[in-house]
Amino acid sequence: MEKNQKINCTVSSCKYNNKNEGECILSKIIVTPKQGCNTSKADESMCSSYECK
């Protein structure tokens, strides 16, 4: 079953940012860890919603 989630975005320099709604207009995103970072903390990812498993 596909979830119907919304991705909020405040990065105004991104071309996928819908500034009027504060949302990302991409149908999916890729969350990538920062290079050389293996802390298992929120700063490990470029995604603000990151949570360690």
Side-chain angles (χ1 to χ4, degrees), residues 31-48:
V31 178
T32 305
K34 290 195 255 180
Q35 195 170 18
C37 186
N38 190 19
T39 65
S40 297
K41 295 181 182 176
D43 64 352
E44 184 176 350
S45 171
M46 297 305 292
C47 177
S48 296

Side-chain angles (χ1 to χ4, degrees), residues 5-49:
Q5 296 177 327
K6 289 188 176 186
I7 306 295
N8 294 330
C9 180
T10 58
V11 184
S12 60
S13 61
C14 181
K15 70 179 185 176
Y16 300 113
N17 173 278
N18 178 341
K19 294 175 187 174
N20 295 330
E21 301 295 325
E23 292 178 356
C24 180
I25 60 173
L26 283 173
S27 60
K28 66 178 180 178
I29 64 168
I30 297 172
V31 178
T32 305
K34 290 195 255 180
Q35 195 170 18
C37 186
N38 190 19
T39 65
S40 297
K41 295 181 182 176
D43 64 352
E44 184 176 350
S45 171
M46 297 305 292
C47 177
S48 296
S49 300

